Amino acid sequence: MTSETYRNPVLDADWSDPDVVRVGDDFYLTASSFGRVPGLPLLHSRDLVNWTLVGHALERLEPAEEFAAPRHNCGVWAPSLRYHDERFWIFWGDPDQGIFQVNAPQIRGPWTRPHLLKAGKGLIDPCPLWDEETGEAYLVHAWAKSRSGVKNRLTGHRMRPDGTGLLDEGKVIVDGDRIPGWFTLEGPKLHRHDGWFWILAPAGGVETGWQGAFRSRGFFGPYEERIVLEQKDTDVNGPHQGAWVRTPSGEDWFLHFQQRGAYGRVVHLQPMRWGPGGTSRSSEAESGGGWPVLGDDGAPVAEHRRPDLPPQPPAAPATDDDFPGGRYGRQWQWTANPGDGWATQHSGDGLRLTCVRSQDAHDLRKLPHVLTQRLPGAPCTAEVELRLDSDEPGARAGLAVLGDAFGWIGLQRGTDGTVHLVHRFAEAVAEGERDAAHPRLAPEGRARLRIEIGAGARCRFSADVGDGFRQSGPVFAATPWRWVGALLGLFALAPAGQGHAGAAAFTRFRISAS
């Protein structure tokens, strides 16, 4: 890679189902956040290659009682980000509730509270379009079979221009069952270009699918289709679902995800042009040019010339944190709606987490008070310093890797008052954790904790309790949750009971490349 080129992925972590919009010289990206809080992350870039996290659009998930406990495959699915009438708009589907939208005058807010645009089960992946020529507005969405019994089709509506409601009952505008070879059609993004209505939508599933393009002279169809991006002979499986964006100089680019197991859905940037490329799977499709061509004639690029945009210094979403004043950075999300007093602000540095009492102390996957961030997609080492400030027998705190299976290393107060270093794990099918190594004394009630994450998300745990770092237990292979990549987490907890159970202090969280 040279200063004139970039290498994919441009976001090497789980920024699932990305959508991007340009406003002036700035590009903004949002992504799925499922059941984590705050939701709807907001990233900023000036060159489409270097991105920083600038905030979130959703402070809490609603209704609050539904997200008081972790629901990793629910909540915010596949959002669309648009700019219209001098406001930012985000539409998303909650598969159990319906289609929501929020909007704001600036990317950093203030964002409105979620407005339910269309109630129903299985309504996902919505995308609005405001037709600047006619003043009319439209909405397209997909379906989740797990909730509705329906999939592989896209439904279109006329929408009120103020985005508060729909003007009709909706009509199926693309039926994937009628296209030979197509299945799991979802994730539509709606555009108006060159006199056509365009729907860019993936099909074929996240592991093995492709990116499709559909066009019609009228919003309600009929649409013809092309495949415009697929794996071919590259290492990029299932390249699809993302955003078309145009630079001020008129270049076209497409950002999409690639499913990478425990690392989740990492984001790639593809060059885009208009021409006769693409593969038709419809006998009625028109011949000729005017179709988007993504990547290297429909195959993902690993390295490419940078967009024609002003050079920018290298940047990536933050990972390290000194927790100034007890506040955690934007990169952290709770595994459910947070409760009062979970993290305490103070005058110094360091994160002070309350040892929240729970009857699920044996299973981190069930706890809402785990503070998480995305697992980096490249080999790295995560490290944090911990002090356990709790005299409650059974109180514990630590550093975890969370997914369908989980592992953690940390400190626990014994019934005899001593503090032990403990290392525990649970397989995906296990209902609770068990020891991964023999506990050993931590005389000062302090430890430096470390997880070395190698190729294939294989994790090696170690700790220093005053006698230098020593490896602990066997290698642990991180796993994803159903739609979410594995997460790094910090937690403090205590067994069920009465009264305050103390706290734990975390300092100097660092992630360094291996």
Side-chain angles (χ1 to χ4, degrees), residues 166 176 180 219 270 371 373 384 393 458:
L166 302 176
F219 172 69
Q270 302 296 337
L371 196 60
Q373 64 168 281
V384 71
R458 294 175 63 81

Side-chain angles (χ1 to χ4, degrees), residues 2 46 99 121 129 166 171 178 208 215 249 258 271 291 311 354 360 394 462 473:
T2 70
R46 283 281 180 94
I99 294 170
K121 296 280 189 180
L129 171 70
L166 302 176
K171 175 185 175 184
R178 294 179 177 271
T208 58
R215 71 180 184 183
S249 66
Q258 174 198 9
W291 288 87
T354 299
D360 293 316
S462 58

Side-chain angles (χ1 to χ4, degrees), residues 337-460:
N337 280 333
D340 294 335
W342 287 0
T344 305
Q345 295 182 9
H346 52 84
S347 59
D349 288 350
L351 177 68
R352 190 168 180 81
L353 292 183
T354 299
C355 291
V356 178
R357 291 189 180 274
S358 174
Q359 63 183 6
D360 293 316
H362 60 287
D363 192 343
L364 299 185
R365 294 165 296 198
K366 297 180 179 179
L367 301 181
H369 54 277
V370 183
L371 196 60
T372 67
Q373 64 168 281
R374 292 160 178 83
L375 186 74
C380 65
T381 298
E383 190 172 315
V384 71
E385 298 175 11
L386 168 64
R387 185 183 74 243
L388 184 61
D389 296 330
S390 173
D391 295 326
E392 180 77 14
R396 69 205 72 162
L399 171 65
V401 176
L402 289 165
D404 282 334
F406 70 87
W408 67 274
I409 192 166
L411 299 175
Q412 178 169 320
R413 178 73 65 177
T415 56
D416 61 355
T418 59
V419 176
H420 286 82
L421 177 78
V422 295
H423 177 195
R424 300 206 173 106
F425 77 103
E427 311 99 302
V429 296
E431 295 182 358
E433 65 190 21
R434 55 195 178 103
D435 285 333
H438 295 292
R440 56 191 177 99
L441 281 174
E444 303 299 323
R446 299 169 178 263
R448 294 169 65 198
L449 310 173
R450 178 182 291 171
I451 304 176
E452 296 171 83
I453 305 154
R458 294 175 63 81
C459 302
R460 171 69 74 180

Side-chain angles (χ1 to χ4, degrees), residues 5-27:
T5 63
Y6 70 90
R7 182 175 291 279
N8 276 315
V10 293
L11 283 168
D12 197 7
D14 186 28
W15 301 95
S16 178
D17 312 318
D19 197 22
V20 180
V21 68
R22 179 177 68 85
V23 180
D25 294 327
D26 297 286
F27 300 90

